[in-house]
Amino acid sequence: MIVKADEITKQFLRKRENSNVFYAVEKTTAEFRGGNLIMIYGQSGSGKSTWMNMLGGILQPSSGRVLYDRTELYAMDDDTLSKFRNQHIGMIPQGQTAIHSMNVRENILLPFSLYGKEISAETGERADRMLEEMGIADLSAVMPSELSGGELRRMAIARALIRQPEVIFADEPTGDLDDENTRTVLSILRRQADMGKLVMVVTHDREVAEFADLTYRMSGGRLCLEEPEQIV
Ligand SMILES: Nc1ncnc2c1ncn2[C@@H]1O[C@H](COP(=O)(O)OP(=O)(O)O)[C@@H](O)[C@H]1O
Ligand SMILES: [Mg+2]
C-alpha cells in the first residue's frame, strides 16, 4: 500500500491580531510505502497529531487529498470511509483508550464487535495469538483497570492490529512507558513494518529513530525529511 498526502493543509480557527485562522499543518506533499517504519518527530504543538489524523482518515484536511493507492480517502462518504478504516487502517491513539467495562480480550476484539457481527472461532483464535504476541496472554480475562501502562499500551496495539491492517498509525505510543516497555512496543511495530506494513509513529521520543527507516521532523506545521546524519 502507498499512502500519499497530496498538498494537504489543516487550518484551525484562532483569534490573532491579523487573522482568525492558522495552519496547524502547512501545505505538504509526501508519499509513504509499505515495509517502512516512518517516524514523525516534533515538539508538542507542532502539528503531529493533526497530521496523523488526516492521514488516518479521522480528520478531513482543509485542502488537498489523501490517497491510499488509488483510493481517495475523503472522497468517500462517512459509512464507506469508516468501513475502509476498519479494514485497512490500525490506529493507536494517544493516551488511554480502554473500554473499562470489558476485559482485555473483549477490548482487543472491539473492531469486530463494533459492527455487531458474531466473533468467529477463527477471529477468537487470532485474538489469542495477538495476546500471546504482545506478551499479555495471561491477562486475557483481566479488566483494564488492573493493568500497568505498558500492558494497556500493548492491549491498544493488539486492538489496532487485530484486523491485520496494511497501514498502522501510532500517536506517541511510548509517551508514558519505561525503557523496557518502550523497546517492547517499538519492536512490535518494527516487526509489522518488516512484514510489509506501513507504520507511522508520531513522537517526541528520540529513541524511536533507532527503529525507523525514515525520520521526518514536524516543526510549526512544516514537515521535512531528516538526513540520517542529522539524527542524534
Ligand atoms: N481542534 C482544534 N481546534 C483548534 N486548534 C487545534 C485543534 N487541534 C489542534 N489544534 C492546534 O493545532 C496545533 C497542533 O496541534 P497537534 O497536532 O495536536 O500538535 P502535536 O500533536 O504535535 O502536539 C496546536 O497549536 C493545537 O493547539
Ligand atoms: Mg499530539
Side-chain angles (χ1 to χ4, degrees):
M1 182 83 87
I2 296 179
V3 174
K4 185 176 185 197
D6 181 21
E7 301 201 323
I8 60 171
T9 67
K10 188 68 193 181
Q11 290 184 309
F12 287 123
L13 282 175
R14 183 175 288 173
K15 274 250 172 285
R16 287 204 175 147
E17 275 175 33
N18 303 322
S19 141
N20 287 339
V21 291
F22 83 104
Y23 283 93
V25 173
E26 306 246 4
K27 193 187 276 185
T28 308
T29 295
E31 205 174 283
F32 309 96
R33 274 167 199 275
N36 286 298
L37 193 153
I38 310 286
M39 159 171 155
I40 311 279
Y41 172 79
Q43 306 286 315
S44 174
S46 59
K48 302 185 299 300
S49 295
T50 304
W51 165 262
M52 195 195 88
N53 292 339
M54 287 196 289
L55 260 66
I58 54 176
L59 182 69
Q60 176 146 25
S62 304
S63 62
R65 303 182 305 161
V66 176
L67 297 155
Y68 276 57
D69 289 336
R70 268 185 219 105
T71 308
E72 188 182 338
L73 275 197
Y74 296 98
M76 292 182 237
D77 63 50
D78 283 356
D79 276 359
T80 317
L81 177 56
S82 78
K83 289 216 180 72
F84 184 90
R85 276 203 315 262
N86 199 264
Q87 267 172 24
H88 300 285
I89 305 176
M91 275 267 177
I92 305 158
Q94 197 167 358
Q96 242 293 54
T97 57
I99 307 290
H100 283 274
S101 56
M102 294 178 167
N103 70 25
V104 169
R105 193 170 184 277
E106 289 161 349
N107 263 279
I108 289 173
L109 284 166
L110 205 61
F112 288 95
S113 40
L114 220 53
Y115 285 93
K117 291 206 197 91
E118 253 182 65
I119 309 288
S120 68
E122 191 195 336
T123 301
E125 279 163 25
R126 199 191 295 164
D128 294 331
R129 273 204 305 279
M130 211 81 222
L131 283 156
E132 201 73 57
E133 209 179 314
M134 300 294 145
I136 50 175
D138 51 334
L139 302 172
S140 176
V142 166
M143 301 307 275
S145 58
E146 293 168 42
L147 301 190
S148 73
E151 290 160 351
L152 281 171
R153 186 53 42 83
R154 280 180 275 156
M155 182 183 86
I157 293 175
R159 180 198 288 161
L161 300 184
I162 184 94
R163 296 201 61 143
Q164 304 177 299
E166 292 128 277
V167 184
I168 298 151
F169 294 96
D171 196 348
E172 309 264 7
T174 63
D176 47 5
L177 302 184
D178 59 27
D179 286 354
E180 195 190 333
N181 275 301
T182 293
R183 301 194 75 78
T184 307
V185 161
L186 291 175
S187 307
I188 290 166
L189 294 172
R190 177 68 250 171
R191 205 154 59 228
Q192 291 293 316
D194 292 339
M195 284 162 54
K197 312 295 175 81
L198 170 60
V199 183
M200 190 173 289
V201 178
V202 155
T203 185
H204 62 261
D205 183 357
R206 272 296 187 187
E207 194 167 346
V208 179
E210 198 188 312
F211 292 81
D213 297 295
L214 287 172
T215 299
Y216 288 77
R217 176 185 286 272
M218 180 66 89
S219 170
R222 287 175 189 276
L223 187 75
C224 41
L225 186 60
E226 287 200 332
E227 300 303 326
E229 60 268 23
Q230 287 179 297
I231 303 165
V232 278

